[in-house]
Amino acid sequence: MGLLRYTLNRVLQSIPVMLGIAVITFLLVNAMPGDPVDLMLAEQEASPELIAAIEARYGLDEPLHIQFLNYIGASWILGAVGIPGFAGSPPGLLQGDLGFSMYYERPVSSLMVDRLPPTLLLMAAAFAFAIVTAVPLGVLAAKRRNKPSDHVSRVVALIGVSTPSFWIGIMLIILFSVQLGWLPSGRLVYPWRDPSHYGLSSQLELYYQTIRHLILPMIALGTLQMATIMRVERSSMIESLQKEYVKLARAYGVSERKIVRKHAFRPSQLPVITLVGLNLTSAIGGAVLIETVFSINGMGRLLIQAIQTHDYQLTLGTTVVIGFVFVVGVIITDISYAYVDPRVSYGEES
């Protein structure tokens, strides 16, 4: 099985996973207490005719199984092939239509376009911070095992793993924004916008302000990732440094620096890559809290607002997109194994 065939196989395996995410989320959303129509009409006189019209507009007057078929687009497909009772059904998830937000009165996909880039920027910065700090510290701790620097790194990792990200964010705001006044306490400055949008005069100044606004939420979200990656990096490096080929290299007089860099480092990165790919779930979950703490209008905050307003379509859309991002991350993680370690193969030779 070559790399291309393996990738296609993993993509096909992800389809039932995405369908399961859609089914579970749909059932949980519909099981929530409260009526979205009542929330929409909280400040209006809700006549039975108006309620019926809104329910018909968003398909809430249909049975639950028909609502699900409409959402995923199965009703549209059944109508397209001429199945009676499904003619004229709207496109759904299978056609790329995430639905229409009842609260914002906008297509869910357009809301995603607005809210996904800030979340991706925050997550990319957090993982960059985590990897850049955790990998060198993990290697250093492994090289100096049971020495003071190793003990310090383990204490730092333990604190990072056990401390909630939102609490770290609040403490950072109190220290660096309120007490010292060094960094802004919330919101983001997006580097893809025109500098004049923020009253800035140059692109360089825009990048500078982006970094200043990103530092605190990046550290708050990336601390947990940094701690877990550092622990795995240390353990993996210790295991690699005890391999027989490393002992043989030492016996031949190879320098310790070359042994660490050439013989031990690359094989020890497989568990780290796995951890980074799987930690996308915890990072997305942490982004929900961090975006709330730092007033960042990203996907996490959008999901919280969707749940609070009982916006069925928006809740389903954000959950499906988050699940899709996680599945793609896992597939990329699997594919990257062969690049890091040439011993990994995606097929068996006869």
Side-chain angles (χ1 to χ4, degrees):
M1 185 187 297
L3 180 58
L4 179 59
R5 186 178 175 186
Y6 175 81
T7 304
L8 293 175
N9 187 41
R10 294 291 285 115
V11 170
L12 292 176
Q13 290 176 357
S14 67
I15 294 176
V17 176
M18 295 302 303
L19 182 60
I21 291 173
V23 171
I24 294 173
T25 306
F26 182 83
L27 295 176
L28 291 176
V29 166
N30 281 275
M32 288 193 305
D35 190 342
V37 179
D38 292 339
L39 292 175
M40 289 181 63
L41 304 175
E43 300 178 357
Q44 303 179 28
E45 291 293 335
S47 63
E49 293 78 10
L50 180 58
I51 293 176
I54 294 176
E55 290 180 345
R57 177 184 178 186
Y58 293 102
L60 300 177
D61 57 340
E62 300 283 355
L64 193 61
H65 67 283
I66 298 298
Q67 291 185 38
F68 179 73
L69 291 176
N70 289 336
Y71 176 71
I72 66 174
S75 295
W76 183 85
I77 295 175
L78 294 175
V81 298
I83 302 297
F86 294 99
S89 298
L93 189 61
L94 296 177
Q95 290 78 41
D97 187 358
L98 296 174
F100 196 85
S101 171
M102 300 173 62
Y103 180 76
Y104 291 97
E105 296 186 349
R106 288 177 55 189
V108 173
S109 57
S110 68
L111 289 169
M112 297 289 181
V113 172
D114 294 338
R115 298 296 189 95
L116 188 57
T119 299
L120 293 179
L121 175 64
L122 175 60
M123 290 182 59
F127 270 94
F129 162 74
I131 293 172
V132 167
T133 55
V135 171
L137 290 176
V139 173
L140 180 64
K143 288 176 59 179
R144 301 181 179 180
R145 186 182 180 187
N146 295 327
K147 293 184 178 180
S149 57
D150 181 27
H151 298 318
V152 171
S153 68
R154 283 188 285 179
V155 171
V156 171
L158 180 61
I159 294 174
V161 169
S162 58
T163 307
S165 59
F166 70 88
W167 187 86
I168 295 176
I170 294 173
M171 293 300 103
L172 290 174
I173 290 175
I174 293 175
L175 177 61
F176 292 100
S177 297
V178 178
Q179 298 294 332
L180 299 177
W182 291 353
L183 296 169
S185 61
R187 303 187 182 277
L188 287 182
V189 174
Y190 305 131
W192 52 81
R193 287 188 174 173
D194 190 271
S196 61
H197 179 81
Y198 300 103
L200 305 176
S201 57
S202 65
Q203 198 72 28
L204 185 61
E205 189 176 0
L206 176 67
Y207 294 150
Y208 172 71
Q209 291 299 328
T210 298
I211 294 174
R212 290 188 73 246
H213 283 76
L214 197 58
I215 288 176
L216 295 187
M218 173 190 71
I219 295 175
L221 182 60
T223 298
L224 173 61
Q225 316 303 327
M226 180 268 292
T228 54
I229 293 172
M230 182 168 63
R231 294 176 67 181
V232 173
E233 179 71 39
R234 176 185 177 275
S235 301
S236 184
M237 279 295 299
I238 289 176
E239 183 179 355
S240 294
L241 290 172
Q242 294 175 345
K243 296 291 186 181
E244 293 298 329
Y245 59 83
V246 172
K247 295 178 181 179
L248 182 62
R250 288 196 181 104
Y252 275 100
V254 180
S255 66
E256 192 68 21
R257 180 187 295 271
K258 188 174 182 179
I259 289 175
V260 171
R261 177 177 55 85
K262 187 175 181 180
H263 299 287
F265 181 75
R266 288 188 66 177
S268 66
Q269 299 314 300
L270 290 181
V272 176
I273 292 175
T274 303
L275 182 65
V276 170
L278 297 179
N279 269 11
L280 283 172
T281 51
S282 59
I284 293 173
V288 174
L289 300 175
I290 295 302
E291 288 176 3
T292 303
V293 171
F294 289 93
S295 300
I296 298 172
N297 290 322
M299 285 283 292
R301 201 173 181 192
L302 183 64
L303 178 58
I304 293 296
Q305 293 169 345
I307 295 173
Q308 290 174 342
T309 58
H310 287 66
D311 195 332
Y312 289 174
Q313 299 286 343
L314 186 55
T315 303
L316 288 167
T318 51
T319 305
V320 168
V321 170
I322 290 173
F324 176 77
V325 171
F326 171 67
V327 170
V328 170
V330 171
I331 294 175
I332 294 175
T333 300
D334 290 346
I335 295 173
S336 61
Y337 283 168
Y339 175 76
V340 174
D341 191 346
R343 297 173 299 175
V344 176
S345 175
Y346 293 111
E348 298 179 355
E349 296 183 1
S350 57

